[in-house]
Amino acid sequence: MRVRCSSVLALMALSLFTGIAGAAEPGHVARAERARYIVEASSTQAARRAVLTVGASAREQLPIVHGVVADLTTWQVAQLEAAPGIRLFADRAVMTSAGLASVVSSVTAPLLSTTSSLTRSNDGQGQLQPTLLFQTNYPMLVGADMLQQAGITGRGVTIAVLDTGLWQDPLQNYAGRILASRDVLNGGTGPVTGDPYGHGTHVTSIAAGGAMNIGLNYLAIAPRASLVIVRAFDGTGAGRYTDVIAGLNWIVANRARYNIRVLNLSFGAPPQSYYWDDPLNQAVMAAWHAGIVVVAAVGNEGPSPMTVDVPGNVPYVITAGALTDNYTPYNVSDDRLASFSSTGPTYEGFVKPELIAPGGHMVASMSSNSYLANIDPGSMLPTEQMFTMSGTSQAAAVLTGVVALMLQSDPTLTPDTVKCRLLASARPAVTSAGTLAYSVFQQGAGLINAVGAVNSGATGCANVGLDIAEDLAGTVHFGGPANRDANGNYYIMNLSSSQWGQPLPGDGYYWSTGYAWGQGYQWSEGYTWSQGYTWTKGYTWTKGYTWTKGYTWSKGYTWSKSLPWWTTSGSGSGPAGSAPTAIEPWVPNQ
């Protein structure tokens, strides 16, 4: 199968690299400006030999994608593009767009920290823990507090966070829980020494911070999980594919040494190719294939459709969208899907995001000396090193923490089973008529339910029809069941139908077949996506619906182990290219 999706992707060939013919590079060309590329081949060694053949050298090896990093002239690029079995992907640096929303996101809600005190922890360890007094509710919203009270705190599970680093706030009690760190910026190999930007600190403390709030509840989801911190973004939030892939390479290589079971990726880039042709996605798929549960942010480019970022567009991983609390953390009646949360489907027809998690006005750790705190001092709490920020990055961090709780409860779970149980226990938002309040392309299976996921026995309902080994080998690639009709409406096709393109009944949830919208099929067979379908930006946004309890599935299964949920007025109880990478754009607190 051959696919060429970008001007910087070399033509794929079935033969292995055997050498590059041609004259040596002219001297005046050799002195020309060079650009950085990821060079992939059948093996890392073959990629390195190819680079040497054209007179360049490998700056860094990336075994996770069978490639190397090299600075190449245009002549060298042309020679490598013409070589059989070699692929090129241009590396480009980019700044996060966080600064665009900096001055308009100051906190106006009553998130006031007045005092700090020390109290005994509630996990049976008897340690003195700082207690912060301000309003935040995300552990309770997803049920993590109930699991923590039962002793499920993430202990024994290691979360890897690939981000901007970590500032070790003493209030978060990270002592003894950070097993390792690696700063891979610009080919670095040293430890992480801080977080000048602040984003990595924020998402890490949401997933696994140790601070406590009013009522002896933890602020984080998995407060006793172990951590591995990998820094791949600089002090202004800028990142490069080469650094991110190097970080992923190190994480996968060290997964057994540190028992890395969960990986948080709160960053993204616009897709420039099919998911399987993107080297960052290839590295992420390799992590999943190695047994690591990968959680990615869907992106902050919503509410338009087809705005899912790389690597959240990888069909295998768990991709998180964001719910906002409307500045009322203890009033769930006005919670809604955040308008910034990106919307699916992906370009290959997969439903994304799979799940929704709290991502609006998230109060979490950040140094007042960080870049983000200085460009928006109004979002810093007055007496604590805590910052309020919104985004699907924060939603991914919540989901990451929930996965750690699941793996503490049952360490034998595979990534596919973790994903299945999260889907099976989620609670979709529905209208008073029992239909979906938000499209499956906006909310996936719905709001995560930590207690339901931990207690679920579901299996075999995620990544159905996909084969990650063949996908990574390049022998088979996959498409999802999403389609668009002549009127611009997105729908889920019935894959069991003999007529491709026939919609599933109802609103796209065909529960009795085990998440038909999560299935895939061989890309080289069946439906062809190039038959005149243009993916418009005209999706109508729906606001104002709340999440509901008591959702009954078509097979009659009710979630007796789910958290108490709520009903309110109006809600019912019925049923490749050269893409850069960056921390998810910082959005106004909505």
Side-chain angles (χ1 to χ4, degrees), residues 25-352:
E25 182 176 15
H28 71 281
V29 178
R31 293 189 296 271
E33 183 177 352
R34 298 171 184 264
R36 189 158 298 173
Y37 284 81
I38 298 167
V39 182
E40 295 181 334
S42 59
S43 68
T44 303
Q45 293 72 25
R48 184 175 57 83
R49 289 196 300 268
V51 168
L52 290 172
T53 302
V54 298
S57 60
R59 292 177 52 91
E60 190 172 359
Q61 297 191 60
L62 300 175
I64 195 170
V65 294
H66 309 299
V68 298
V69 179
D71 294 336
L72 305 172
T73 66
T74 55
W75 181 89
Q76 291 168 333
V77 168
Q79 295 296 301
L80 290 171
E81 283 184 330
I86 301 298
R87 297 198 322 153
L88 300 186
F89 193 98
D91 181 41
R92 292 184 180 178
V94 64
M95 285 290 299
T96 175
S97 57
L100 298 178
S102 60
V103 297
V104 296
S105 60
S106 296
V107 177
T108 57
L111 302 176
L112 301 179
S113 174
T114 55
T115 62
S116 294
S117 61
L118 290 177
T119 186
R120 295 288 175 182
S121 68
N122 63 349
D123 66 350
Q125 300 304 305
Q127 298 174 341
L128 287 175
Q129 296 291 326
T131 300
L132 305 175
L133 304 182
F134 54 84
Q135 296 185 46
T136 187
N137 193 34
Y138 52 85
M140 289 176 277
L141 186 60
V142 301
D145 63 322
M146 298 176 65
L147 295 172
Q148 292 165 6
Q149 292 163 16
I152 301 175
T153 58
R155 186 178 298 276
V157 178
T158 304
I159 298 171
V161 181
L162 198 163
D163 213 288
T164 63
L166 177 67
W167 170 67
Q168 295 190 40
D169 183 354
L171 293 176
Q172 300 299 332
N173 192 28
Y174 289 127
R177 296 196 292 126
I178 300 177
L179 305 185
S181 69
R182 186 83 161 188
D183 190 335
V184 299
L185 277 174
N186 299 316
T189 58
V192 174
T193 57
D195 180 12
Y197 189 64
H199 186 276
T201 298
H202 202 263
V203 300
T204 301
S205 67
I206 290 171
M212 303 182 75
N213 200 357
I214 303 170
L216 306 186
N217 293 315
Y218 285 104
L219 294 180
I221 304 299
R224 287 293 173 266
S226 298
L227 289 163
V228 166
I229 305 299
V230 178
R231 184 184 180 209
F233 298 85
D234 68 17
T236 61
R240 307 173 69 99
Y241 260 53
T242 48
D243 289 337
V244 172
I245 295 172
L248 291 166
N249 190 93
W250 187 88
I251 289 168
V252 172
N254 289 276
R255 66 192 184 281
R257 180 178 183 182
Y258 300 115
N259 190 34
I260 299 171
R261 301 295 309 277
V262 197
L263 171 58
N264 185 87
L265 304 178
S266 288
F267 55 81
Q272 296 291 320
S273 69
Y274 292 122
Y275 75 83
W276 58 81
D277 270 326
D278 187 296
L280 196 160
N281 279 349
Q282 293 164 5
V284 168
M285 289 162 61
W288 187 275
H289 189 45
I292 301 174
V293 181
V294 181
V295 178
V298 69
N300 296 336
E301 289 76 47
S304 296
M306 302 200 73
T307 52
V308 180
D309 278 346
V310 171
N313 67 333
V314 173
Y316 302 93
V317 306
I318 308 168
T319 306
L323 170 145
T324 178
D325 63 6
N326 202 32
Y327 285 112
T328 57
Y330 291 99
N331 177 13
V332 298
S333 66
D334 58 357
D335 290 4
R336 57 183 171 83
L337 195 64
S339 60
F340 58 75
S341 188
S342 289
T343 298
T346 69
Y347 285 93
E348 299 80 25
F350 287 98
V351 171
K352 292 285 183 173

Side-chain angles (χ1 to χ4, degrees), residues 298 303-308 321 337 341-346 349-356 436 438-445 480-484 488-493 507-509 517 529 535 539 541:
V298 69
S304 296
M306 302 200 73
T307 52
V308 180
L337 195 64
S341 188
S342 289
T343 298
T346 69
F350 287 98
V351 171
K352 292 285 183 173
E354 281 94 356
L355 296 157
I356 298 297
L436 294 180
Y438 299 104
S439 162
V440 66
F441 303 116
Q442 295 171 302
Q443 67 169 320
N483 204 341
R484 177 176 176 266
N489 300 311
Y490 295 87
Y491 63 92
I492 303 296
M493 298 185 293
D507 52 17
Y509 275 92
W517 54 263
W529 287 87
W535 305 96
Y539 195 85
W541 182 251

